[in-house]
Amino acid sequence: MSDRVTMPALGESVTEGTVTRWLKNVGDTVAVDEPLLEVSTDKVDTEIPSPVAGTLQEILVEEDETVPVGADLAVVGDGEASGGSDSSDDSAEAEDKGEEKTEEAAEETSSEKESKSSDDEQKSEEPKQEAASSGGGEVSGGEKVTMPALGESVTEGTITRWLKAEGDDVAVDEPLLEVSTDKVDTEVPSPVAGKLTKILVSEDETVPVGADLAVIGGEAGGSSSGSSDDSAESEEKAEQPQESVDSEKQDEAVEAAENKSETSEPEKAPEAKEEPKQEAPAKESSSSDQGDKQQEASTKVDNSGTYVTPLVRKIAAENNIDLSSIKGTGVGGRIRKQDVLDAAKAASAPKEEAPAPTQESAAAAPAASATPQAAPQASAEAQAKRGTTEKMSRLRKVIAQRMVESLATSAQLTAVVEVDMTKVAATRARNKENFKSREGVNLSYLPFITTAVVEALKAFPQVNSSVDGENIVYHNAEHIGIAVDTPRGLLVPVVKDAGDLSIAGIAKKIADLAARTRDNKVTPDELGGGTFTISNIGSNGSLLDTPIINQPQVAILGTGAMTKRPVVVTDEFGNDSIAVRQMMYLVLTYDHRVVDGADAGRFLSAVKARLEEGAFEV
């Protein structure tokens, strides 16, 4: 009995992966979950574990080859791999016999592959037909997994990724799939333990709450009647791929002999090098043709047109290596990982001592060296995205839709005030160490600003309202949304009843919500119900921005970066002086359907006065 190892789904938008290194050889024994190979995609480099224990009987995809998600990578089964010893004997004979045997072996291998090509194509289609027939069968018994209710206003969800495949064993509460809604992306756990018998909803499909997603347990119809036929076919197929492995290893032996003969008789080398090109059509099957087209469409190349895997690009970027200057030693001139490492080692070797600089060059050196240091360094992920096209994630599509709808719904204006945060900065500096030890969280400026905003919202209820058709709803509590930047996109968890919390309570709530939002552990209900939003636009250095209102709210406050600047300060006696102060811009975008400019100005002035007073109990 044997099992096929397939290319797993390694991300929502990942459609293919490149085999960068095999950690096991044909004939090696592997355990369950033992790393079998390394795979590289445009988003992640990872190890693929073996799904079963046994012997690695066949490697179907060579290193540096790119295949789509779901493609077969290897065969792991019981017993020893057949043909392994033959290949080593062939290799030794090919090296001993020289060029004459090389040509005979090459011709014999080519003819064998041509005679078997039609059989290969036919058998490569059989697994697809079997999978289609078994996938469409009915399942008797079992427990159905349904789309859960992921929030008060959530009515549907989209399947972004299945974490288990049909036939996998799952435990109770083990993550089964990932679901995306217009409020949150989350994992759906298995309600029972058992085998995942059937997947009813494919990835990227949207279904309503309560819809059936999968069946755990039970028995697939028609599986028992065809068990003997399936076993016979599997044995027959196991022999056929092994033959192709033998022929491939003969090719490798031939290639080794060719390389050896090239040094003695270089005039015969062009004839020997033609063999792989003639054999290539015999290796291809109808299933691999489609994968090759996908590979060509998404393959990354360097300036010279040579294939480069994402992992190689990453290593080159980390070591500042120009890929166009490297001559690849891989198949077809491909640049391999070792090529980049060798180039990096050579670049780091001590260089010859340069001649003493002239007076002019020495004077110009500081100016010249300052420019590269100021230039931003592109990460490997950023480099991999250049020149590519990717599908919008579910969350990104929701954000785009909501922002456009907000601008089309309300009449949005922006008002700005400048706030002297010097007293708040002094209060924070005095208390942050004791606060951290007492409360367990850092004391940032955001709890001070949130407290000032909450107090102003109580005084100006029109800013803490929302529009419902032709009605204005004035809320009786202050639920403050805090914009959080995550790798998946911008999310806004809500601090409920912020008006009833102290600075310490607000600080702990913000820290908890922000951490769980970034870890994708926030619940949908925590992402809704806000009455006012604060966005820390200064977290990345921005002084000003014009935030877009989070509907159906009527206002959002942006807090700019705090900077030290000289400003005119008037003391209690009316005397002016210039002093260095901690200054910040507060930006309020408001809905002119409900909030007039005068109301916005008064609201901002109240927040400004409260912060500049600096009288907070920490």
Side-chain angles (χ1 to χ4, degrees):
M1 179 179 177
S2 60
D3 293 89
R4 289 182 179 261
V5 182
T6 60
M7 177 67 73
L10 296 171
E12 183 178 344
S13 59
V14 176
T15 60
E16 62 185 12
T18 301
V19 177
T20 53
R21 186 160 66 107
W22 281 96
L23 305 176
K24 296 289 184 179
N25 298 318
V26 173
D28 289 353
T29 301
V30 294
V32 177
D33 292 333
E34 183 179 3
L36 193 60
L37 70 153
E38 291 180 355
V39 169
S40 177
T41 72
D42 58 353
K43 294 189 179 300
V44 68
D45 297 339
T46 186
E47 294 178 344
I48 305 300
S50 174
V52 294
T55 301
L56 179 57
Q57 297 182 334
E58 185 178 359
I59 292 177
L60 304 177
V61 179
E62 298 299 326
E63 292 182 358
D64 289 338
E65 285 191 26
T66 302
V67 293
V69 170
D72 293 334
L73 302 176
V75 178
V76 177
D78 300 332
E80 297 181 356
S82 59
S85 59
D86 294 341
S87 65
S88 60
D89 295 340
D90 292 343
S91 177
E93 290 176 6
E95 291 179 358
D96 293 339
K97 291 181 180 179
E99 179 192 353
E100 188 174 6
K101 293 292 182 182
T102 297
E103 294 177 357
E104 292 177 6
E107 291 174 3
E108 183 178 343
T109 303
S110 177
S111 61
E112 285 179 3
K113 289 187 175 182
E114 288 174 0
S115 64
K116 294 174 183 176
S117 61
S118 59
D119 295 338
D120 290 343
E121 293 178 359
Q122 181 178 358
K123 291 187 178 182
S124 67
E125 293 175 357
E126 289 178 3
K128 295 183 179 179
Q129 295 172 356
E130 291 176 3
S133 61
S134 63
E138 296 295 329
V139 177
S140 58
E143 182 80 15
K144 289 188 176 181
V145 181
T146 60
M147 175 67 74
L150 296 172
E152 187 177 337
S153 59
V154 176
T155 59
E156 62 183 14
T158 300
I159 310 301
T160 53
R161 184 160 68 107
W162 280 97
L163 305 176
K164 297 289 184 179
E166 289 186 0
D168 289 353
D169 292 324
V170 293
V172 178
D173 292 332
E174 183 179 4
L176 190 61
L177 69 153
E178 290 180 355
V179 170
S180 176
T181 72
D182 57 355
K183 292 187 179 295
V184 70
D185 295 344
T186 187
E187 294 176 344
V188 176
S190 173
V192 294
K195 187 181 294 293
L196 179 57
T197 310
K198 187 173 181 61
I199 293 176
L200 303 177
V201 180
S202 302
E203 292 181 0
D204 291 333
E205 285 190 26
T206 301
V207 293
V209 170
D212 294 336
L213 303 178
V215 179
I216 295 178
E219 186 176 347
S223 59
S224 58
S225 61
S227 59
S228 59
D229 296 337
D230 291 343
S231 61
E233 289 179 9
S234 64
E235 291 177 1
E236 186 177 342
K237 290 174 190 173
E239 294 176 4
Q240 173 62 23
Q242 189 58 51
E243 292 175 3
S244 65
V245 170
D246 292 343
S247 63
E248 286 177 12
K249 292 189 175 181
Q250 289 172 3
D251 294 344
E252 293 175 3
V254 171
E255 216 170 356
E258 288 171 355
N259 293 336
K260 188 173 181 181
S261 63
E262 281 175 3
T263 58
S264 58
E265 298 184 31
E267 67 275 3
K268 298 290 181 73
E271 296 178 7
K273 289 182 180 178
E274 290 295 322
E275 285 300 322
K277 294 182 181 178
Q278 296 171 2
E279 294 171 2
K283 290 184 180 180
E284 294 174 356
S285 64
S286 59
S287 61
S288 64
D289 288 342
Q290 185 176 1
D292 291 341
K293 292 178 182 177
Q294 294 176 353
Q295 174 182 343
E296 292 173 6
S298 59
T299 294
K300 309 281 189 305
V301 295
D302 68 356
N303 294 337
S304 63
T306 305
Y307 174 88
V308 180
T309 67
L311 178 62
V312 171
R313 284 188 176 276
K314 180 180 179 181
I315 298 173
E318 290 174 349
N319 294 277
N320 295 322
I321 300 298
D322 183 6
L323 291 174
S324 62
S325 64
I326 299 177
K327 183 177 180 181
T329 60
V331 180
R334 291 178 180 176
I335 299 175
R336 302 171 66 91
K337 175 182 176 182
Q338 192 59 43
D339 298 333
V340 180
L341 293 176
D342 292 342
K345 185 177 179 181
S348 62
K351 299 180 180 179
E352 294 183 4
E353 186 175 349
T358 62
Q359 186 174 1
E360 291 181 1
S361 61
S369 62
T371 303
Q373 292 177 359
Q377 296 295 322
S379 64
E381 183 179 0
Q383 287 281 11
K385 284 183 178 290
R386 297 187 63 187
T388 65
T389 301
E390 68 179 14
K391 182 181 177 182
M392 269 191 178
S393 67
R394 167 78 174 175
L395 180 59
R396 178 51 54 191
K397 287 190 288 187
V398 170
I399 292 173
Q401 179 184 353
R402 293 287 174 82
M403 294 300 98
V404 172
E405 288 178 351
S406 178
L407 290 173
T409 300
S410 58
Q412 301 189 21
L413 285 81
T414 303
V416 183
V417 295
E418 191 175 27
V419 181
D420 184 351
M421 296 285 289
T422 305
K423 291 184 179 180
V424 172
T427 301
R428 173 179 176 272
R430 287 194 308 269
N431 295 278
K432 63 180 182 180
E433 296 299 333
N434 290 334
F435 186 89
K436 175 79 178 286
S437 61
R438 185 179 74 245
E439 304 295 343
V441 296
N442 292 321
L443 179 61
S444 67
Y445 292 99
L446 198 51
F448 295 97
I449 297 171
T450 304
T451 299
V453 165
V454 166
E455 293 174 357
L457 288 175
K458 294 178 179 179
F460 300 93
Q462 62 269 37
V463 184
N464 192 47
S465 65
S466 59
V467 178
D468 182 14
E470 297 182 354
N471 300 319
I472 301 175
V473 179
Y474 297 98
H475 302 291
N476 61 357
E478 295 75 35
H479 305 312
I480 308 300
I482 305 294
V484 177
D485 180 30
T486 74
R488 297 174 293 117
L490 187 68
L491 293 172
V492 186
V494 178
V495 178
K496 301 292 178 66
D497 298 312
D500 300 333
L501 300 176
S502 63
I503 284 184
I506 291 174
K508 288 192 286 188
K509 270 286 188 181
I510 291 175
D512 172 61
L513 285 172
R516 289 193 290 114
T517 300
R518 293 190 182 97
D519 294 340
N520 198 22
K521 295 179 180 178
V522 69
T523 64
D525 289 337
E526 291 174 314
L527 293 171
T531 62
F532 186 89
T533 298
I534 298 176
S535 178
N536 185 11
I537 59 180
S539 59
N540 292 314
S542 297
L543 295 176
L544 283 171
D545 201 349
T546 53
I548 299 175
I549 295 172
N550 189 8
Q551 297 295 330
Q553 300 169 20
V554 297
I556 179 173
L557 183 75
T559 61
M562 194 164 64
T563 59
K564 289 183 178 181
R565 288 193 292 106
V567 296
V568 176
V569 178
T570 304
D571 63 18
E572 58 207 53
F573 303 107
N575 299 319
D576 293 338
S577 61
I578 296 177
V580 177
R581 312 293 286 180
Q582 299 269 18
M583 305 302 294
M584 174 189 287
Y585 290 110
L586 295 183
V587 184
L588 181 73
T589 298
Y590 59 96
D591 186 349
H592 211 328
R593 296 179 301 168
V594 178
V595 181
D596 291 332
D599 296 328
R602 285 189 284 267
F603 173 82
L604 277 176
S605 296
V607 175
K608 170 185 168 73
R610 182 69 176 91
L611 291 171
E612 291 183 343
E613 179 188 24
F616 293 95
E617 294 182 4
V618 179

